[in-house]
Amino acid sequence: MNQPTFFTTPIYYVNAKPHLGHAYTTIAADVAARFNRMCSSDTFFLTGTDEHGDKILEAAKKENITPKEYADKISGLFRNLWPELDISNNYFIRTTNADHIKVVKDLLQKIYDSGDIYFSEYEGIYCFGCERFYQERELVNGKCPDHGTEPEKIKEANYFFKMSKYQDWLIDHIKTHPDFIRPERYKNEILSFLKEPLEDLCISRPKSRLTWGITLPFDHDFVTYVWFDALTNYISALGYPDGELFKKFWPHTKHFVAKDIIKPHGIYWPIMLKAAGIDLYESLNVHGFWNVSGTKMSKSIGNVTDPVEVSGIYGVDPFRYFLMREMVFGLDANFTEDTIVQRINSDLANDLGNLFSRVLSMNFKYFRGNIPQPDERTEKEKALSLEKYADTAIKEYQKAMENTMFHRGLIAVWEFISIMNKYIDNNAPWTLAKESSQKKTLETVIYNLLEGLRVVSCLIYPVMPETSFRMQKLLGIEKERTEQNNDTENDFYTLNEVMPWHQLKKNKKLEKPPILFPRIDTDTIRTKEMKK
């Protein structure tokens, strides 16, 4: 059994409904968690919602409801979306949960008692959209880099966290732990930021300005800063400090975030942990942005993509496949209707779907659906084996998936699919079937192709779980599935189970295959349908 691992998404801010960016981060973390389970490792996967702060209060006022009612509504959209996208999270946390609030207060008190939180008056530039103070050097042409608005100068007394005290320690930790922030470009970005003096972090807001937040345990006239609240979810969800989940899974933690929140996760969070005497997480995995038709998603220009609508048009597994195959983890990617249609028609319908249909149809035609069983001992049959190509695909796939290079993992699988398609053309089963003397060779060729499909059906599981199960059922190798059990270990094949060749049993009768992925007629799918 490998090391238990804890996978997290950010907890999503409930000021707007879920969009493509939320879906990508969550699916990426889900793929990593599913792959970890394939490696026979205990896995705990967390997602949830961040529900305090100025923007929630403002949004609730606009709808004439309480902040809690508003948070309940939007949090429900996120919670209900994840099963629709086949997300296998073990727990969904909300920052309005009583147990989370208790941990935030306990953590604040602990850091305050150690002397790392102090009270002071401060004047600075504040972005209400980000709910944070900025330094001049962080602005772009004098404006907030995320909202494009000029921050306001405000002066008020608040509590501050001594982040500056830990700057040299954090730089040393990042440099001596090369996988702490990955890909490397984001590690370099954080180190570049840390070349300048690190200011202490304002961690409170006076109740005269904001009431919707967690009250400071040491001063009831203030609520805590939303990031100090939100980041703590990663340990409160595990039952910090004495919970069994915390003891088992922390600090073997892999955070998944988009690049716009790298600073809170790469600077605030590790320093908070250090100040509280808690071991640091294992890695921060940072991905890029999705642009829609070449433009960054923005509510103001109306190009925010709804994952429910997209997956409803194209299917959940094709949607998951497109996101994992199209984006190089760490870089920006472009989402267009033409691109997703091209991926589905080329990779799924033509490559995988056509291969699956050809092989099972030939097996049905030549052997009435019964799996042939060639004699492995002959040199000729050994020479026809696809085992070495499957072995290469599995090794390349495993290496890529372990390093969050999901697109490379899929490329390794599709290279094996290409080899199998060429194998059919080179061996021409339709010609072998005409000669009775070639029956054994025909059996060997079809058997190897069926074995190859078995391997493919297992490797695509983290990205396309339903397609994986469907293929396995049609190959007669499906495992028993348990409904709504995210801890299950019996409904998918581990990598150790995938690797041995020659697993399909003789005379197991297979049916004629249905079409796995129908080709999409681009004339019938229009962008306007995705925006209804």
Side-chain angles (χ1 to χ4, degrees):
M1 182 69 71
N2 293 329
Q3 179 176 275
T5 311
F6 179 37
F7 294 87
T8 77
T9 72
I11 50 172
Y12 302 115
Y13 206 38
V14 294
N15 63 324
K17 67 179 186 178
H19 58 60
L20 178 65
H22 300 124
Y24 176 80
T25 310
T26 311
I27 292 171
D30 181 67
V31 169
R34 287 179 183 271
F35 173 74
N36 199 63
R37 297 183 187 114
M38 280 186 71
C39 295
S40 304
S41 295
D42 285 350
T43 303
F44 196 84
F45 174 23
L46 173 72
T47 189
T49 46
D50 177 10
E51 303 179 19
H52 292 122
D54 283 317
K55 287 185 282 189
I56 309 307
L57 191 61
E58 290 173 10
K61 285 179 179 177
K62 287 180 182 177
E63 296 195 15
N64 198 28
I65 57 177
T66 67
K68 183 62 166 61
E69 288 172 330
Y70 181 84
D72 288 345
K73 182 179 76 169
I74 304 299
S75 179
L77 295 179
F78 282 91
R79 185 192 287 269
N80 294 334
L81 171 61
W82 301 144
E84 292 185 43
L85 298 183
D86 235 339
I87 303 300
S88 63
N89 57 296
N90 298 86
Y91 186 55
F92 185 97
I93 190 169
R94 299 181 60 184
T95 55
T96 49
N97 292 349
D99 51 356
H100 168 76
I101 292 171
K102 181 181 184 304
V103 172
V104 171
K105 289 186 174 185
D106 289 347
L107 192 70
L108 283 163
Q109 189 68 56
K110 185 175 185 178
I111 296 175
Y112 178 78
D113 290 344
S114 73
D116 281 342
I117 293 176
Y118 62 92
F119 190 72
S120 179
E121 189 170 75
Y122 181 81
E123 182 175 10
I125 48 177
Y126 187 81
C127 174
F128 284 89
C130 295
E131 300 189 39
R132 59 165 284 215
F133 286 97
Y134 272 93
Q135 298 176 37
E136 291 283 355
R137 62 189 170 91
E138 296 180 83
L139 303 180
V140 178
N141 298 321
K143 296 181 178 180
C144 167
D146 290 332
H147 295 92
T149 56
E150 290 187 14
E152 295 182 28
K153 269 196 174 181
I154 63 172
K155 182 178 182 180
E156 63 185 19
N158 266 310
Y159 284 89
F160 290 82
F161 172 46
K162 294 181 181 178
M163 286 208 311
S164 56
K165 171 182 173 181
Y166 296 96
Q167 181 166 359
D168 291 340
W169 162 82
L170 180 58
I171 292 170
D172 180 69
H173 183 84
I174 293 171
K175 288 182 175 179
T176 55
H177 295 78
D179 288 334
F180 183 63
I181 301 173
R182 57 185 193 175
E184 188 174 11
R185 69 181 65 239
Y186 298 110
K187 177 185 75 175
N188 294 337
E189 182 179 319
I190 290 293
L191 287 173
S192 177
F193 187 89
L194 290 171
K195 287 179 181 178
E196 300 292 332
L198 188 61
E199 292 189 356
D200 291 343
L201 180 66
C202 179
I203 64 156
S204 69
R205 302 291 183 264
K207 282 189 175 178
S208 59
R209 180 157 68 83
L210 176 66
T211 56
W212 181 240
I214 298 175
T215 300
L216 296 183
F218 43 82
D219 192 332
H220 291 183
D221 290 332
F222 291 82
V223 296
T224 191
Y225 173 45
V226 67
W227 272 113
F228 215 99
D229 169 7
L231 291 164
T232 304
N233 94 91
Y234 300 127
I235 56 173
S236 69
L238 296 178
Y240 169 83
D242 300 318
E244 290 303 314
L245 289 174
F246 183 78
K247 294 175 184 177
K248 180 176 183 178
F249 287 102
W250 193 270
H252 313 301
T253 301
K254 296 183 178 181
H255 295 312
F256 282 76
V257 301
K259 65 182 182 180
D260 57 333
I261 51 174
I262 183 176
K263 184 180 176 183
H265 285 82
I267 297 179
Y268 305 172
W269 182 224
I271 292 178
M272 286 167 58
L273 291 167
K274 177 68 173 175
I278 303 170
D279 290 337
L280 268 61
Y281 53 83
E282 182 180 311
S283 66
L284 177 64
N285 302 277
V286 186
H287 67 77
F289 288 148
W290 278 97
N291 299 317
V292 176
S293 298
T295 305
K296 183 180 176 181
M297 279 192 297
S298 168
K299 286 188 287 185
S300 61
I301 63 174
N303 69 340
V304 175
T305 302
D306 187 332
V308 175
E309 292 183 3
V310 178
S311 61
I313 293 170
Y314 298 108
V316 172
D317 273 8
F319 177 58
R320 287 172 61 106
Y321 173 82
F322 170 79
L323 295 182
M324 293 302 103
R325 179 62 182 83
E326 193 70 18
M327 177 176 273
V328 176
F329 194 89
L331 302 180
D332 291 352
N334 196 34
F335 183 97
T336 68
E337 184 181 16
D338 287 343
T339 310
I340 190 171
V341 169
Q342 186 178 27
R343 278 280 177 214
I344 292 171
N345 284 346
S346 175
D347 297 9
L348 300 182
N350 285 1
D351 294 341
L352 176 56
N354 187 49
L355 173 68
F356 190 76
S357 179
R358 288 177 80 188
V359 173
L360 266 69
S361 293
M362 286 189 293
N363 183 63
F364 190 83
K365 180 177 181 180
Y366 302 136
F367 301 108
R368 298 180 181 177
N370 295 306
I371 297 176
Q373 193 75 7
D375 187 346
E376 296 179 88
R377 293 170 295 180
T378 68
E379 291 302 317
K380 183 177 181 181
E381 280 145 7
K382 285 181 180 178
L384 283 169
S385 178
L386 288 166
E387 181 176 6
K388 64 180 180 180
Y389 300 107
D391 185 62
T392 297
I394 292 169
K395 288 176 180 176
E396 291 180 355
Y397 166 87
Q398 182 174 6
K399 182 180 178 181
M401 297 294 278
E402 287 172 347
N403 289 285
T404 68
M405 300 303 287
F406 305 123
H407 76 292
R408 287 193 179 276
L410 291 170
I411 286 172
V413 176
W414 256 253
E415 285 178 349
F416 182 52
I417 289 172
S418 177
I419 286 170
M420 291 172 66
N421 274 316
K422 290 175 183 174
Y423 180 88
I424 294 174
D425 295 336
N426 291 339
N427 288 286
W430 47 88
T431 301
L432 296 174
K434 295 176 182 178
E435 301 289 337
S436 58
S437 60
Q438 297 294 323
K439 183 180 179 183
K440 204 65 181 176
T441 302
L442 178 62
E443 287 182 346
T444 301
V445 167
I446 298 300
Y447 182 84
N448 274 287
L449 289 166
L450 290 169
E451 269 289 285
L453 290 175
R454 176 189 64 79
V455 171
V456 169
S457 75
C458 296
L459 296 185
I460 65 171
Y461 162 75
V463 177
M464 297 191 288
E466 284 304 317
T467 301
S468 171
F469 294 136
R470 189 180 182 200
M471 288 177 65
Q472 288 166 8
K473 183 175 183 180
L474 291 166
L475 289 168
I477 57 169
E478 76 275 19
K479 288 193 171 187
E480 180 183 352
R481 299 185 65 183
T482 53
E483 191 173 346
Q484 300 299 322
N485 181 6
N486 293 329
D487 293 315
T488 183
E489 294 184 359
N490 67 351
D491 64 354
F492 59 89
Y493 286 89
T494 67
L495 277 181
N496 287 334
E497 291 174 318
V498 176
M499 287 186 279
W501 193 254
H502 220 270
Q503 291 192 44
L504 294 176
K505 303 304 179 186
K506 182 178 181 180
N507 292 330
K508 176 90 174 182
K509 190 171 179 64
L510 308 181
E511 301 298 323
K512 235 181 173 181
I515 297 173
L516 279 183
F517 300 101
R519 282 186 60 82
I520 296 172
D521 181 356
T522 54
D523 291 335
T524 62
I525 302 289
R526 298 269 59 90
T527 303
K528 63 182 180 181
E529 292 181 56
M530 299 166 62
K531 295 183 177 179
K532 285 181 181 177

